[in-house]
């Protein structure tokens, strides 16, 4: 009788085929997955701009005006020195950064409304498209 031992396991060719299949799946699914992450960051920035806008409106109801550009969004958390009617804090936590870790831009008076509140998007620069597009309070 032949004493041929059969080894259990996978051949190199079988492992390479499996790795190629996994690579193809990752190449197909990866961009779709990361595209969804970008969309969620844009949605989060829009939600934060809206929430900050509501806090600014409550500040205005209490004080009769919006914070100055110099006071900025920090006036929603810390009482400005010259504001006797301040009833805050108007945010539960510190003023957040946008989802790309950039500070929100606030200007009062605004060019597009009572105030301008915006994020410059992923690239942190004015303008852009897609995830780099500005997210504003007036759109």
């Amino acid at each position: 009788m032949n004493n041929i031992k059969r080894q259990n396991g996978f051949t190199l060719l079988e492992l390479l085929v499996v790795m190629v299949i996994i690579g193809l799946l990752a190449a197909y699914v990866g961009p779709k997955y990361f595209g969804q992450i970008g969309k969620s960051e844009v949605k989060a920035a829009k939600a934060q701009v809206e929430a900050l806008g509501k806090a600014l409106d409550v500040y205005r109801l209490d004080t009769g005006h919006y914070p100055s550009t110099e006071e900025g969004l920090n006036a929603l958390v810390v009482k400005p020195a010259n504001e006797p009617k301040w009833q805050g804090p108007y945010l539960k936590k510190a003023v957040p950064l946008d989802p790309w870790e950039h500070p929100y831009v606030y200007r009062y008076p605004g060019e597009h409304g009572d105030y301008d509140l915006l994020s410059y998007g992923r690239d942190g620069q004015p303008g852009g498209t897609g995830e780099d597009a500005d997210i504003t309070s007036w759109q």
Side-chain angles (χ1 to χ4, degrees):
M1 291 212 141
N2 277 339
N3 278 342
I4 299 176
K5 288 186 178 180
R6 179 160 164 90
Q7 292 183 347
N8 293 330
F10 298 104
T11 66
L12 181 59
L13 182 60
E14 290 170 329
L15 289 174
L16 287 174
V17 169
V18 169
M19 289 179 64
V20 167
I21 291 171
I22 291 172
L24 289 172
L25 285 172
Y28 178 73
V29 174
K32 292 181 184 264
Y33 172 74
F34 289 111
Q36 293 301 320
I37 290 174
K39 287 180 185 176
S40 67
E41 289 172 333
V42 170
K43 286 180 183 178
K46 287 180 180 179
Q48 285 180 333
V49 165
E50 187 175 327
L52 290 169
K54 288 178 182 177
L56 285 165
D57 290 340
V58 174
Y59 179 99
R60 183 185 59 82
L61 287 173
D62 286 349
T63 64
H65 58 85
Y66 289 106
S68 68
T69 300
E70 293 76 27
E71 292 168 336
L73 296 174
N74 197 44
L76 298 173
V77 181
V78 178
K79 180 180 179 182
N82 59 349
E83 193 49 68
K85 296 179 183 177
W86 192 83
Q87 306 260 333
Y90 299 95
L91 297 173
K92 292 181 181 179
K93 299 179 181 177
V95 177
L97 296 174
D98 72 11
W100 302 278
E101 302 297 319
H102 303 125
Y104 284 98
V105 176
Y106 171 76
R107 291 186 290 256
Y108 176 77
E111 296 174 14
H112 305 278
D114 291 332
Y115 60 85
D116 291 348
L117 178 60
L118 64 135
S119 164
Y120 286 130
R122 180 181 62 185
D123 65 354
Q125 302 295 321
T129 59
E131 292 176 54
D132 295 337
D134 299 347
I135 293 121
T136 64
S137 60
W138 59 88
Q139 291 179 352

